Amino acid sequence: MTDRVIAVGGHESDGAAALAGVLGPEVTRVGGGRELVREVRSARAAGERVCVVPMTLGRDPSLVADAARTLLALDAGERAGTLLAEPFGTTAHLVGWLRTLANRVPDDRALLVTAPSGDPFSDADLFRTARLVGQYGRHRVVEVALLGGAPDLAEGVWRCRALGAPGAVVLPAAWAVPEPAGVAHAEYGGPLLSASAAAGVLASRVRQARERYERSGDDGVDRALAADHDHGHAHSHGPDDHGHGHSHGHGHAHSHAHGHGHSHGHGHGHGHSHSHGADDGHGHGPDGGGDHHRALSPAPRTAGESPVEHQGSAPDLVPSHRSPR
């Protein structure tokens, strides 16, 4: 039985249109939704197995979850021969690929990390990516440009020159980043990946999906449904947080509720980004680690005072930043 590989694109690839010059003709390119359903059904009717690969580079987790929800609409027979692979790339991969491009840029030029604008959280991720690309690098000026957003390409180049660089090299942080024609003092530093490199990564995702299914029967759909669970939506948990709001972003920021009736006084998500590469588990970045969960000392009690009631396994433990009520 042959495999049909379907690459699903989002805002990073202009709905898969920008993948035409990257992926070979043997790969079907769709923008998701009804297009995806139609192609899967066509392949299954022809007796082909299907592997769907979300073509995000890490900034569009909603593409992964949307693909999973779309595949749930298939009937049992169509689902039986369909797999959903891990995303093509993560932001950790993207940073590495961009650093490779940056190594080819003369030292006096600025790096202009460029991608199409998405939602505010995806755009914020691009600034984070640019910061990591510039970290420990040779280039003094690293800026961001958002196609269809602000700062746009022209303003990005202007910022680079205002900071002393004679010109900027556009580093594509997405599939849909054209050469900067007509923009003075800008040159193109792409493509992000060659066609052969992209084909190699895609083949790896398909192989991993197939091996996972043969090993455990996991078609990848259920796990992908929650891919955008922590995408944006910063919020505070109310006045009892004592100002310790938890921002839920791509860095897997979260509150740790241990059933002890308290919240930890250290906002998660500050410098502890969890990189989920396709070939690894929960790999911590270079700044990861640290003892987030130090043991709390029992609060002193006066004579005859009853222990404070808690729902957890250690009823006598009271966090030092809150008094028992």
Side-chain angles (χ1 to χ4, degrees):
M1 184 180 292
T2 59
D3 280 317
R4 183 181 300 189
V5 178
I6 302 178
V8 185
H11 68 78
E12 295 165 293
S13 61
D14 190 20
L19 300 174
V22 180
L23 304 179
E26 71 282 0
V27 179
T28 302
R29 303 177 299 275
V30 299
R34 292 178 180 177
E35 283 186 87
L36 176 57
V37 170
R38 183 170 59 249
E39 291 297 336
V40 171
R41 284 178 172 164
S42 172
R44 295 297 298 128
E48 296 177 307
R49 297 183 304 186
V50 174
C51 186
V52 177
V53 183
M55 293 300 291
T56 179
L57 298 171
R59 293 177 49 245
D60 192 5
S62 294
L63 177 66
V64 183
D66 287 346
R69 286 188 283 266
T70 299
L71 294 180
L72 285 178
L74 300 172
D75 63 37
E78 294 162 339
R79 280 282 304 276
T82 303
L83 304 180
L84 181 58
E86 291 291 310
F88 182 93
T90 65
T91 51
H93 292 120
L94 180 59
V95 169
W97 292 329
L98 289 169
R99 281 178 172 170
T100 298
L101 294 183
N103 288 336
R104 306 169 187 167
V105 177
D107 294 4
D108 65 335
R109 295 296 194 273
L111 305 178
L112 189 57
V113 179
T114 305
S117 180
D119 61 49
F121 306 106
S122 297
D123 292 351
D125 267 353
L126 189 63
F127 284 86
R128 175 182 177 273
T129 296
R131 178 68 180 85
L132 294 174
V133 169
Q135 186 69 32
Y136 310 122
R138 299 178 289 107
H139 300 88
R140 186 177 60 85
V141 179
V142 182
E143 288 290 324
V144 164
L146 291 164
L147 305 178
D152 62 13
L153 195 58
E155 183 178 351
V157 173
W158 179 88
R159 291 185 179 193
C160 292
R161 286 175 52 77
L163 291 171
V169 175
V170 174
L171 301 186
W175 303 111
V177 179
E179 296 189 21
V183 180
H185 308 291
E187 55 187 297
Y188 189 58
L192 180 66
L193 293 173
S194 66
S196 60
V201 174
L202 187 70
S204 177
R205 300 296 174 267
V206 173
R207 184 183 66 253
Q208 291 162 354
R210 181 62 59 195
E211 291 173 349
R212 180 188 63 210
Y213 181 75
E214 291 174 352
R215 182 175 60 250
S216 62
D218 181 3
D219 65 4
V221 173
D222 288 344
R223 69 167 67 197
L225 289 171
D228 61 349
H229 177 72
D230 291 328
H231 184 53
H233 308 297
H235 60 274
S236 169
H237 294 287
D240 286 342
D241 272 349
H242 299 281
H244 302 289
H246 297 261
S247 173
H248 296 267
H250 292 307
H252 298 275
H254 51 280
S255 64
H256 290 270
H258 297 291
H260 300 309
H262 66 272
S263 61
H264 291 285
H266 50 270
H268 287 273
H270 298 283
H272 300 288
S273 174
H274 293 261
S275 169
H276 299 278
D279 297 325
D280 55 35
H282 294 273
H284 294 267
D287 296 328
D291 183 11
H292 295 310
H293 305 287
R294 296 185 178 88
L296 299 172
S297 300
R301 297 198 301 269
T302 57
E305 181 182 357
S306 301
V308 179
E309 291 296 328
H310 290 265
Q311 296 177 350
S313 59
D316 291 338
L317 299 187
V318 179
S320 59
H321 66 279
R322 181 180 299 175
S323 299
R325 289 179 292 181

